[in-house]
Amino acid sequence: MSKSYPILYTFRRCPYAMRARMALFHSGIKVEVREVVLKDKPEEMLQASPKGTVPVLIIPDATVIDESLDIMYWALNQSDPSNLLCRENHDFVSEISTLIDENDSAFKQHLDLYKYHDRHPENPQSHYRSLGEQFLQKLEERLKLSKFLINESPSLADLAIFPFIRQFAHVDKEWFYNSEYTELIHWLDFFLEGIEFKEVMTKFSQWCPDTTTVFFPKS
Ligand SMILES: N[C@@H](CCC(=O)N[C@@H](CS)C(=O)NCC(=O)O)C(=O)O
């Protein structure tokens, strides 16, 4: 019988999907990739997860995991050779979860206001940017104390947050790369230039039931 792999519905440019792929990559778990076009979601994905967001992971026992953070924890709980979960340190574990919560709630809201400011004309774009900067400042302060957000090596917090900082930076790259957040700029570039990210950003064509099966990572 042929080996069955977990199936990952993903969308290349989605920051939630990026962080799920980063964790899968670090855990060394190979998945079948199904690249989704958000305006044309496959029926198979919606049947597994009717809420219709990516990423969605279906593991071989048919369990559906449709929250990016849960996919990260699932993968790293199987295998975490880089100790991204910082399991042995309870303070780190709780800092990781607090930082990710803040990213996924207030910062994500501010990021969307900044990115889609034209839908919120009651304030100028710079107003929404300064709301997001509260989180940038917090990260910058942490990065003055240690090389990564929690400690001297990357943790789950770094992997879960950097795709969102990338998105914030890309709204106005010139502003970001000339800003006072010099530690954050170095930190972001570290992830963007890494081989993991290149692998994570591999382009796949839209999946449909007739396409050839493709895997991530490729090798
Ligand atoms: N809380 C979810 C959020 C995922 C999410 O919102 N993904 C976006 C793409 S970045 C999505 O699928 N949106 C649905 C759509 O645009 O139709 C997670 O962490 O997985």
Side-chain angles (χ1 to χ4, degrees):
M1 213 173 87
S2 65
K3 178 172 170 22
S4 51
Y5 291 91
I7 295 170
L8 180 72
Y9 289 96
T10 180
F11 170 55
R12 186 171 176 271
R13 285 184 290 113
C14 165
Y16 296 102
M18 272 177 213
R19 71 187 189 183
R21 297 195 304 271
M22 283 296 282
L24 287 162
F25 186 84
H26 273 271
S27 67
I29 296 174
K30 185 169 175 171
V31 296
E32 178 187 335
V33 182
R34 297 185 174 179
E35 178 73 20
V36 167
V37 170
L38 293 178
K39 289 200 177 97
D40 181 21
K41 292 170 192 153
E43 217 21 70
E44 290 79 357
M45 176 184 122
L46 294 171
Q47 264 166 25
S49 174
K51 75 184 167 107
T53 61
V54 287
V56 175
L57 185 75
I58 306 173
I59 58 178
D61 75 1
T63 304
V64 175
I65 311 179
D66 61 6
E67 279 295 318
S68 57
L69 204 49
D70 294 341
I71 296 173
M72 296 183 88
Y73 279 114
W74 176 82
L76 296 169
N77 277 323
Q78 324 260 324
S79 160
D80 183 13
S82 314
N83 192 26
L84 295 166
L85 295 176
C86 303
R87 257 182 237 272
E88 75 299 341
N89 187 318
H90 293 297
D91 292 341
F92 287 176
V93 169
S94 105
E95 282 175 45
I96 288 173
S97 134
T98 309
L99 266 187
I100 297 177
D101 278 355
E102 191 170 342
N103 177 79
D104 290 10
S105 51
F107 180 66
K108 173 65 169 113
Q109 274 174 25
H110 297 153
L111 165 62
D112 286 346
L113 287 168
Y114 176 40
K115 190 169 172 197
Y116 305 112
H117 64 99
D118 45 351
R119 298 180 199 164
H120 307 276
E122 56 283 11
N123 287 298
Q125 186 183 23
S126 57
H127 170 75
Y128 300 121
R129 183 171 68 204
S130 63
L131 295 177
E133 279 185 77
Q134 294 163 13
F135 192 58
L136 301 195
Q137 265 153 17
K138 183 175 216 168
L139 301 187
E140 178 74 10
E141 288 314 309
R142 296 187 79 98
L143 294 169
K144 283 184 181 152
L145 302 174
S146 56
K147 196 161 173 230
F148 294 95
L149 292 176
I150 302 296
N151 200 2
E152 295 306 321
S153 53
S155 72
L156 177 73
D158 299 276
L159 293 200
I161 293 172
F162 92 83
F164 296 86
I165 303 300
R166 171 184 179 271
Q167 211 170 61
F168 195 93
H170 283 203
V171 176
D172 182 348
K173 273 191 180 175
E174 199 179 328
W175 175 85
F176 182 79
Y177 281 99
N178 287 299
S179 73
E180 68 202 68
Y181 307 113
T182 52
E183 300 298 332
L184 194 64
I185 292 169
H186 278 123
W187 171 87
L188 179 62
D189 284 348
F190 171 87
F191 288 104
L192 300 186
E193 286 160 15
I195 48 151
E196 295 93 344
F197 190 64
K198 294 202 168 51
E199 187 81 32
V200 156
M201 293 307 277
T202 304
K203 282 190 181 155
F204 294 99
S205 6
Q206 180 180 7
W207 178 83
C208 73
D210 305 330
T211 48
T212 322
T213 306
V214 283
F215 293 100
F216 168 81
K218 273 186 172 159
S219 43

